[in-house]
Amino acid sequence: MSAAKKSVLVIFTGGTISMVCDQQTGALRPAGIENFKEFMPELFHSEINVEFLPFTPLIDSSDVNPPMWAKLAHLIDSNYNDYDGFVITHGTDTMAYTASALSFMLENLTKPVVFTGSQLPVGILRSDAKENLLTAIEIAAEQDEEGNAVVPEVCIFFDSRLYRGNRCTKKNAEWFAAFKSYNYEPLAMAGVHIKYNVHLIHYPELNKPMRLRTKIDTGVAILKIFPGITEEIVRAILNIPNLHAVVLETYGTGNAPSNKWLYDALRQATQSGIIIVNKTQCVSGSVEMGRYETSLNLMNAGVLSGYDITTEALLTKLMYLLGENNDVDKVKELLQISLCGEMTIE
Ligand code: ASP
């Protein structure tokens, strides 16, 4: 008896992958599903049943915002029982933010949600769109012998590699290898065969349902430390009305200049209930609070460690935790735990 045909829902949001060149301005702009129909007819005759759902409005991903993340999560939820997996085509510019946000919003995910896109539009001969999209669909449909998803995670598939979505950063604006997960090995590599690193995949509790959590608090800012940063700049950010949390981007293993005014300002902020999390400006490696005096000072000012999390994952985790919880201590506790593989705590 042949196995039942798998079904994958492709939600396309716009991005370069589906763009066309505007005749008048010469700039790339989002276009509809017709592009895929014309340039990838194989999508409609594959061994997998592929259905398309356009996101409205179609966007350049520079325009993405938290309500759109929630809308995408609701689309997955309302179609959850009808498909074996999901692919979201999305612009590369903010894909790592959207993938991170959805990894928190789709709690206890039991099916694959694979983000992909391309550096060249699907209609261009040398485009990376076909390979990225076709393999993303195959991964979204992949099941083990018991019929469970092989990768029940929010992931990004790009240039032959499958990454955990909340570990990714867009690293290149030109080459096809646009993404990298600096602190976590790829979940799979696609060559002649797709080789899964099963030991790296995060598995859900199969006896529990997927739960949607889409409340977001946007009272979050990023404060990047740089040589010459002044007290005025730091205080201007920390005094933003309705600020609830700050991603503090520091040097190396989590260090900041030793000026007393800096620690006084940070301590006053944390004492007033603002959550501040230390994230290294390095793309690879982890914060180690207390390794140097300069980060011990931050610890004493009430700043929390972000370990090896990406800025994209930390920002969206803060928005999600603050949206879903009223209790600041509970948020702080959850920030020190990896919820869905977004950081490594040793
Ligand atoms: N600006 C485009 C976007 O993010 C770039 C891309 O798709 O790669 O929508």
Side-chain angles (χ1 to χ4, degrees):
M1 206 172 76
S2 65
K5 200 169 172 175
K6 304 284 182 301
S7 286
V8 171
L9 181 64
V10 179
I11 302 172
F12 69 100
T13 66
T16 300
I17 190 165
S18 60
M19 286 188 184
V20 289
C21 189
D22 190 288
Q23 301 286 330
Q24 273 171 0
T25 64
L28 288 171
R29 59 162 173 78
I33 190 176
E34 299 69 36
N35 251 350
F36 289 105
K37 285 201 174 127
E38 185 179 347
F39 296 108
M40 292 184 68
E42 60 272 47
L43 275 178
F44 302 89
H45 309 281
S46 96
E47 297 150 15
I48 299 165
N49 174 36
V50 184
E51 284 176 32
F52 278 87
L53 186 64
F55 186 80
T56 39
L58 289 178
I59 53 162
D60 180 302
S61 78
S62 309
D63 285 322
V64 85
N65 55 34
M68 291 183 190
W69 298 336
K71 191 170 165 184
L72 270 176
H74 279 284
L75 280 177
I76 303 277
D77 182 57
S78 56
N79 288 284
Y80 201 68
N81 296 328
D82 299 332
Y83 296 92
D84 297 296
F86 300 86
V87 169
I88 301 179
T89 68
H90 192 289
T92 56
D93 289 348
T94 59
M95 192 187 290
Y97 288 93
T98 305
S100 296
L102 260 69
S103 75
F104 300 118
M105 289 179 164
L106 303 170
E107 190 182 282
N108 201 50
L109 186 66
T110 57
K111 296 184 177 183
V113 174
V114 186
F115 278 80
T116 196
S118 64
Q119 293 283 57
L120 283 174
V122 63
I124 295 195
L125 206 55
R126 267 189 336 104
S127 175
D128 47 336
K130 279 193 182 192
E131 202 275 313
N132 285 349
L133 183 54
L134 291 173
T135 311
I137 290 170
E138 198 170 323
I139 291 168
E142 193 92 58
Q143 294 181 347
D144 64 16
E145 280 153 15
E146 270 127 52
N148 297 318
V150 173
V151 195
E153 291 209 32
V154 176
C155 330
I156 290 181
F157 180 77
F158 223 91
D159 192 45
S160 310
R161 283 168 175 74
L162 182 73
Y163 301 110
R164 174 168 298 153
N166 59 31
R167 290 286 191 153
C168 284
T169 297
K170 182 172 179 182
K171 64 154 189 172
N172 202 306
E174 179 176 359
W175 303 116
F176 287 157
F179 289 93
K180 187 146 170 128
S181 159
Y182 288 93
N183 287 325
Y184 204 72
E185 289 296 308
L187 303 180
M189 309 270 283
V192 173
H193 304 285
I194 302 176
K195 297 213 165 133
Y196 292 95
N197 289 320
V198 176
H199 63 289
L200 296 176
I201 297 170
H202 179 88
Y203 288 98
E205 295 184 51
L206 288 173
N207 54 345
K208 289 196 184 154
M210 190 276 283
R211 285 198 56 184
L212 197 58
R213 299 196 179 271
T214 55
K215 288 198 203 114
I216 284 281
D217 179 342
T218 53
V220 181
I222 299 178
L223 169 51
K224 183 167 184 163
I225 298 289
F226 57 90
I229 192 167
T230 61
E231 183 168 0
E232 288 71 29
I233 293 173
V234 171
R235 289 206 183 266
I237 292 178
L238 296 178
N239 288 331
I240 292 170
N242 298 320
L243 182 72
H244 297 138
V246 173
V247 174
L248 182 68
E249 289 200 347
T250 58
Y251 307 130
T253 52
N255 309 309
S258 34
N259 309 73
K260 185 174 174 301
W261 60 259
L262 178 62
Y263 297 93
D264 288 345
L266 294 171
R267 191 178 306 103
Q268 279 164 21
T270 58
Q271 283 173 351
S272 74
I274 294 174
I275 296 172
I276 306 181
V277 188
N278 190 351
K279 155 78 188 89
T280 172
Q281 290 173 23
C282 298
V283 285
S284 173
S286 182
V287 162
E288 264 184 81
M289 303 273 278
R291 183 175 167 95
Y292 294 92
E293 252 177 26
T294 40
S295 62
L296 189 62
N297 290 339
L298 291 175
M299 231 164 115
N300 293 336
V303 174
L304 303 174
S305 175
Y307 300 93
D308 65 348
I309 199 166
T310 61
T311 295
E312 295 87 336
L314 179 53
L315 187 91
T316 53
K317 184 175 180 178
L318 283 166
M319 288 177 168
Y320 151 81
L321 287 178
L322 289 162
E324 291 284 335
N325 300 276
N326 296 323
D327 179 359
V328 173
D329 288 330
K330 182 76 189 160
V331 173
K332 285 186 181 166
E333 189 191 314
L334 293 171
L335 278 165
Q336 300 300 285
I337 295 170
S338 178
L339 302 177
C340 44
E342 72 277 11
M343 60 189 189
T344 316
I345 303 176
E346 279 161 356

